[in-house]
Amino acid sequence: MSEFASMRLPLKRTAVAPDGSDVRVLLGLAAGGMAHFELAVGKTSAAVTHRSVEEIWFVVAGRGEMWRKQGAREETIALEPGVCLTIPLGTQFQFRASSTAGVAAVGITMPSWPGETEAVPVAGPWRASAP
């Protein structure tokens, strides 16, 4: 059994994701972990897919767009506070902040993030500019 834990959102990033976004690692348990992801104004992440994890994101601030692709299904959705989305295993994805505001989301990764080799670069719709 895990001991319960508490923390505050770190003031600065604690890691840089393979897609180039700023990460503030939060808490985790055996089945998964939570993090805060952020892109600055006008920045675009690299497009990636994951080898073994799935994610659920909840946008908490800013504006942007998220592109996702699974086989023949492809869509781009607006990112704004209150939007919740999933990134199932094998989904290709890329996100970008608007030209007037950065974008920030809290994400749950299941199972916990295994390390740098988890993300595999793919071709996305936009040219990456992060970090």
Side-chain angles (χ1 to χ4, degrees):
M1 171 153 74
S2 298
E3 292 188 16
F4 59 82
S6 305
M7 72 177 291
R8 290 194 173 274
L9 181 68
L11 295 177
K12 297 181 179 181
R13 73 179 184 205
T14 55
V16 176
D19 67 10
S21 59
D22 289 337
V23 181
R24 294 175 183 163
V25 178
L26 297 169
L27 297 174
L29 291 168
M34 181 179 274
H36 178 277
F37 302 97
E38 188 169 18
L39 277 178
V41 174
K43 295 293 183 183
T44 300
S45 74
V48 298
T49 188
H50 292 148
R51 295 178 192 273
S52 65
V53 301
E54 301 184 292
E55 294 183 337
I56 301 171
W57 286 26
F58 182 75
V59 181
V60 295
R63 298 272 185 262
E65 292 180 294
M66 169 75 78
W67 166 81
R68 292 175 293 172
K69 182 178 180 183
Q70 290 177 315
R73 182 178 178 208
E74 187 172 354
E75 73 175 17
T76 300
I77 64 164
L79 298 178
E80 58 190 25
V83 170
C84 188
L85 62 94
T86 62
I87 303 172
L89 182 60
T91 301
Q92 298 176 28
F93 69 100
Q94 183 177 28
F95 73 113
R96 65 182 179 178
S98 78
S99 62
T100 59
V103 65
V106 172
I108 298 170
T109 303
M110 304 162 288
S112 294
W113 187 254
E116 289 299 314
T117 61
E118 174 63 24
V120 178
V122 297
W126 309 302
R127 183 170 172 250
S129 62

